[in-house]
Structure formats: structure tokens, C-alpha cells
Amino acid sequence: GIQVEQSPPDLILQEGANSTLRCNFSDSVNNLQWFHQNPWGQLINLFYIPSGTKQNGRLSATTVATERYSLLYISSSQTTDSGVYFCAPNTGGFKTIFGAGTRLFVKA
Amino acid sequence: NAGVTQTPKFRVLKTGQSMTLLCAQDMNHEYMYWYRQDPGMGLRLIHYSVGEGTTAKGEVPDGYNVSRLKKQNFLLGLESAAPSQTSVYFCASRPSLRANYGYTFGSGTRLTVV
């Protein structure tokens, strides 16, 4: 099955800093999602991005399906951005595979 | 508010006991999923359903059973709980595969098997 690798595994930022999270996947994908899991465990869908670039406020995501990677940009980070970010590609059908995540901590 | 509701939120079981986790969604979504999340890991798919009366196995189905008798409900059962099933369980739903948006998750059920 598809392999998903997220980097870095852990990231500590000072509030206001920018960061880029990367997701590499080993197979062609039909779609890809980015999720944020907050420190209380709630999972929030950030982006549904099979290809191209999308922006939502301080967050943006780019997926280059032909090169099998996706990037999540966080600009002007805030303490509320802390948590775990998951990349979840889907290769078709009903199964979506989650990466192990990038754990982000933003210091005030 | 519309969304996905999981009950219970916490549960402690003894090895060999059985229980059922309930997932309810009020968004008329077709597809529903059960995932488990273990420390330091992403989510792994246990079972899923593509509509009322249908279920299918995911990545880690052993030891679990599911039922979807009504479109809005997706039940996850543990017939004989084992310590290896200690985990956080998440339910999710989505309207269709063609929809240009993804999953809505419940808030999770933290299960401990002793």
C-alpha cells in the first residue's frame, strides 16, 4: 500500500515565525487532505487538496501530485496553531491513509 | 450544532468484556468510518461504511465488528476486549467521494482495557 512520510516529525516555533510542513507519498493519489489535531484531540479538516494551491487565512497548502508531495505553510504562527498536523492521501476507493504527523509547538 | 457525535467519551474495560461505541451524524452523510489512534501515530482505519446496511474492513479490522442499520448511526463493537485495543477511537463521516471537501470527525472515545 501507499507509504506516507511527514517531515519534520517535531517542530518548535517562536510565535510569529513561518514554517513549512512536508508530506511525501509513494503512490499516485486521487486526493489529499491536511488535518490539524489540537491539544485536546479534536481533528479539524484544514484542506482538501488533490492538486494545486489553496489558501485559508494564514495557512496555505500545495500539492504536486506528479512529484508525489504536498506542503503545508503556516505563516505568522500563533500558540493556537500548536498540535499535530496530519497529511492523509487517498489512492482511490474509500480508504484514506494517514501519515504519522508533524507535532508543532508554538511558544509565546 | 450539526456534526459527528461519539459516545461514550471515556471508558475503562476489563479484558474479555464487551462494549459498543456509538457514532451519530446529522449531516445526511453517506460514508462513515471508524479509526483508531495510538500514541505517536496517525489514524488507522478499522472499518467503514458506504451507506446504510453496508460495511467493509479497513486496515486493522481484527477484534472489531460494525453495523450501520440506520444511515445516521455507525456502531463499533468489541466482543472480547484485549489490552491491545487500548486506544483513542475516532468516527468520521463525509457526504460522498465526489464532494470537494473531506471528513468531519467526532471528538473521540478514549478506551482503556485493563
Side-chain angles (χ1 to χ4, degrees):
Chain A
I2 187 172
Q3 302 298 312
V4 182
E5 181 179 337
Q6 290 188 243
S7 59
D10 297 280
L11 183 61
I12 300 175
L13 296 177
Q14 191 66 46
E15 196 170 28
N18 303 327
S19 64
T20 300
L21 282 57
R22 187 177 180 100
C23 172
N24 292 333
F25 40 92
S26 62
D27 206 348
S28 300
V29 299
N30 284 2
N31 62 68
L32 185 142
Q33 297 172 77
W34 282 96
F35 294 90
H36 175 223
Q37 187 170 37
N38 65 25
W40 296 270
Q42 183 67 36
L43 282 154
I44 305 297
N45 191 330
L46 297 176
F47 292 102
Y48 182 94
I49 182 165
S51 63
T53 298
K54 290 185 178 179
Q55 180 152 8
N56 184 2
R58 296 180 296 103
L59 302 181
S60 64
T62 295
T63 296
V64 184
T66 53
E67 297 187 21
R68 301 183 181 174
Y69 72 88
S70 184
L71 303 173
L72 179 69
Y73 306 94
I74 304 175
S75 65
S76 303
S77 59
Q78 300 177 358
T79 56
T80 52
D81 295 331
S82 296
V84 184
Y85 290 82
F86 290 106
C87 161
N90 179 291
T91 57
F94 307 101
K95 298 180 182 179
T96 294
I97 304 300
F98 283 73
T102 291
R103 189 175 301 274
L104 173 65
F105 179 67
V106 181
K107 298 188 297 184
Chain B
N1 291 336
V4 178
T5 303
Q6 291 184 232
T7 53
K9 296 191 183 311
F10 303 93
R11 185 73 186 270
V12 178
L13 285 180
K14 293 183 178 179
T15 297
Q17 286 185 318
S18 63
M19 78 163 295
T20 300
L21 282 66
L22 172 63
C23 176
Q25 52 96 1
D26 57 4
M27 299 171 286
N28 202 35
H29 285 179
E30 289 293 331
Y31 305 119
M32 298 187 74
Y33 306 79
W34 275 108
Y35 286 89
R36 61 177 288 173
Q37 183 179 29
D38 299 304
M41 298 180 65
L43 280 69
R44 292 184 292 170
L45 182 64
I46 305 171
H47 285 282
Y48 61 97
S49 168
V50 303
E52 181 178 319
T54 73
T55 63
K57 295 180 179 180
E59 302 170 80
V60 289
D62 294 342
Y64 305 95
N65 57 75
V66 288
S67 65
R68 191 152 177 219
L69 300 180
K70 295 182 179 180
K71 186 177 183 179
Q72 62 268 34
N73 296 336
F74 194 30
L75 279 62
L76 178 70
L78 287 73
E79 290 187 348
S80 180
S84 61
Q85 294 177 304
T86 294
S87 189
V88 180
Y89 292 85
F90 287 96
C91 176
S93 71
R94 64 185 301 182
S96 73
L97 289 183
R98 295 188 180 87
N100 192 27
Y101 43 91
Y103 293 71
T104 299
F105 277 91
S107 57
T109 295
R110 187 174 295 274
L111 175 65
T112 301
V113 182
V114 298

